[in-house]
Amino acid sequence: MTTQSGRSEPVADSTVITTASGNDEPPPLVRGSVNGLIVSFFPTFMVVSMIGGAIPGLLLPHQLELFDAANKEANLAVVLTISAFCTMVAAPIAGHISDRTRSRFGRRAPWMVIGALAGGLALVGLACADSLVAICIAWSLVQVAYSFVQGPLSAILPDRVPRRRRGTFAAAGGIALMAGLLLGSVVGSLFFGNAAVGYLFFAVTTLVALVLFVLFNPDHSSRDIHVDRFRWTDFVRMFWVNPIEHPDFFWAFSARLLLFTGYFMVSGYQLYLLSGYLGVDRPQEVIPVIGVIGLAGVVLSNLVAGPLSDKVGRRKPFVFGASVVMALALALPWVWPTLTSWFIMVAVLSLGFGMYGAIDTALMSEVLPSEQSFGKDLGVINIAATLPQTISPACAGAIITVFGYAGLFPVGIVLSLLGAFAIWPIKSVR
């Protein structure tokens, strides 16, 4: 709990769920150290992230192109919009359910395994899909199932990591994310001619990774926690955090929403931008190279920014600076539409995105209202990442129709800058 002197002390595991907030320290780990948790978390999160690097950016667009090449952009927009909307709704529900789960394995572990198993089955369904409707349903189910993995996995940060180590932990997560996206794009390119085998590969590896993580990183039992009686009004309210009562949460949410909307407008159409805007003949062969450049930038910025943020005890200047850097990066292919400029943009963008991902995650963990709802609130925060995936394909499609591919970049720049300035009103985090 936070003492009168302003210092935070660990809360006993028997009371933490009902009394603590994101500014309080979690109880001691059941087994091992924070360093050991980081080492175990890294490959697990990397494997989960591989799905995002391979499927929506490579295998799914190619599957849709084989199905209907003439309407591939519109079909991709439909599939990504619907699936992202499903994820947006599912994330808070998954977090809320895990918050209320009573088991001897803790609140989060059962759902990580169940979500991975359900997601794997949905990937098998995607491999068998042979129509636009079937593809849309299968990919949406994949997204919903893995929401029950990512939500509880994200809650490990406020659940188990001391505040003084959260920048470092978040930096490791940021590196794992980009490593997973890169490795996913590389593996995805290997399965480019046989997506069904690729889907099965990701289903199996993700399930194995999560089972191992749960076994080697046990959580405190949650069998004795108090769970309020379920009410439908509470269910509806779970999608809302009062900006008057929790203004810092509101501003952090808004900043991420703005930045991610601009980012996904460009990154979500990377395959088509490379071929339609830059004239690259075989973009699937260029994407792994782009992934290597992106990984290098993210690793570098995470290694520096995460520990440095912990050392100086500040988050906001890093997040603001990262947002501005990303805005500047998006300007490069707009004024200089070549593959070289795209490589440079990815390098600069990854530096900013790596810093943003690491520090913003730590910042978010410190503006959460209550330990009772960490999972749900992280799910609400996840809306700031998934809502852009819902609206950006439609917005990007409209922009491309009117202004062409070049119109995506100025919109992304403006949204990134707005996201930067939304950070400053936060008061509880320096």
Side-chain angles (χ1 to χ4, degrees):
M1 297 294 293
T2 304
T3 65
Q4 292 182 346
S5 63
R7 297 178 60 186
S8 295
E9 298 177 352
V11 182
D13 64 281
S14 60
T15 60
V16 63
I17 294 175
T18 57
T19 62
S21 71
N23 273 318
D24 290 308
E25 298 292 349
L29 297 174
V30 173
R31 181 193 303 165
S33 64
V34 175
N35 287 338
L37 181 64
I38 294 174
V39 170
S40 183
F41 178 82
F42 183 92
T44 305
F45 195 55
M46 182 180 68
V47 170
V48 173
S49 301
M50 285 172 59
I51 295 174
I55 299 178
L58 194 62
L59 296 182
L60 184 61
H62 185 57
Q63 186 177 7
L64 290 168
E65 187 174 23
L66 293 176
F67 169 72
D68 184 2
N71 299 299
K72 60 183 182 181
E73 293 93 348
N75 289 340
L76 180 63
V78 169
V79 174
L80 293 182
T81 298
I82 293 175
S83 62
F85 176 79
C86 292
T87 306
M88 180 182 67
V89 174
I93 294 175
H96 184 63
I97 291 174
S98 72
D99 286 335
R100 298 170 60 87
T101 297
R102 289 184 289 194
S103 80
R104 71 186 196 82
F105 303 105
R107 296 183 293 167
R108 318 298 182 189
W111 295 108
M112 294 184 201
V113 177
I114 292 172
L117 180 59
L121 294 175
L123 281 172
V124 173
L126 181 61
C128 299
D130 58 358
S131 69
L132 179 62
V133 173
I135 292 173
C136 189
I137 293 174
W139 179 239
S140 296
L141 290 175
V142 171
Q143 295 285 72
V144 169
Y146 283 114
S147 293
F148 282 83
V149 173
Q150 293 174 334
L153 198 58
S154 299
I156 288 173
L157 178 60
D159 276 355
R160 307 192 199 182
V161 181
R163 290 186 65 192
R164 68 182 184 279
R165 300 297 306 280
R166 289 184 184 177
T168 301
F169 187 92
I175 296 173
L177 171 63
M178 286 304 299
L181 294 176
L182 168 62
L183 188 57
S185 67
V186 172
V187 174
S189 65
L190 297 177
F191 293 115
F192 197 74
N194 195 339
V197 177
Y199 293 151
L200 182 61
F201 171 84
F202 292 119
V204 173
T205 54
T206 302
L207 178 60
V208 171
L210 285 159
V211 169
L212 291 176
F213 179 82
V214 167
L215 290 176
F216 286 102
N217 297 275
D219 198 2
H220 293 280
S221 170
S222 62
R223 286 183 298 183
D224 298 326
I225 67 171
H226 171 73
V227 177
D228 293 331
R229 191 175 56 136
F230 177 81
R231 296 181 179 88
W232 281 106
T233 54
D234 295 334
F235 175 79
V236 174
R237 282 201 298 265
M238 82 167 63
F239 296 95
W240 172 256
V241 176
N242 193 319
I244 305 301
E245 295 180 5
H246 307 289
D248 287 352
F249 187 94
F250 166 77
W251 285 113
F253 177 94
S254 299
R256 179 179 285 191
L257 177 67
L258 290 164
L259 182 81
F260 275 48
T261 300
Y263 176 79
F264 281 116
M265 277 189 177
V266 176
S267 65
Y269 276 79
Q270 176 172 256
L271 184 67
Y272 300 154
L273 281 167
L274 289 172
S275 58
Y277 181 63
L278 301 181
V280 178
D281 291 332
R282 299 177 64 83
Q284 72 272 15
E285 296 179 358
V286 176
I287 287 177
V289 178
I290 293 172
V292 172
I293 296 173
L295 177 62
V298 168
V299 169
L300 178 61
S301 60
N302 271 266
L303 289 174
V304 174
L308 183 60
S309 174
D310 284 342
K311 183 176 181 179
V312 302
R314 293 182 179 273
R315 313 292 189 198
K316 288 162 61 174
F318 291 92
V319 177
F320 177 86
S323 302
V324 173
V325 167
M326 292 175 68
L328 294 175
L330 291 174
L332 284 171
W334 182 32
V335 300
W336 182 26
T338 65
L339 183 58
T340 300
S341 73
W342 193 269
F343 286 149
I344 297 174
M345 180 205 73
V346 169
V348 178
L349 191 69
S350 63
L351 288 171
F353 191 73
M355 182 186 298
Y356 185 93
I359 311 305
D360 182 64
T361 300
L363 184 150
M364 289 290 188
S365 74
E366 296 175 12
V367 299
L368 298 176
S370 171
E371 168 72 19
Q372 284 183 296
S373 59
F374 275 176
K376 184 270 292 183
D377 292 336
L378 284 169
V380 173
I381 286 176
N382 190 57
I383 293 176
T386 54
L387 181 59
Q389 297 177 61
T390 304
I391 62 178
S392 62
C395 294
I399 292 170
I400 292 170
T401 300
V402 178
F403 300 104
Y405 285 115
L408 296 177
F409 299 104
V411 175
I413 292 168
V414 171
L415 291 174
S416 297
L417 292 175
L418 290 174
F421 286 100
I423 288 295
W424 288 115
I426 297 174
K427 296 180 179 179
S428 63
V429 180
R430 296 193 297 164

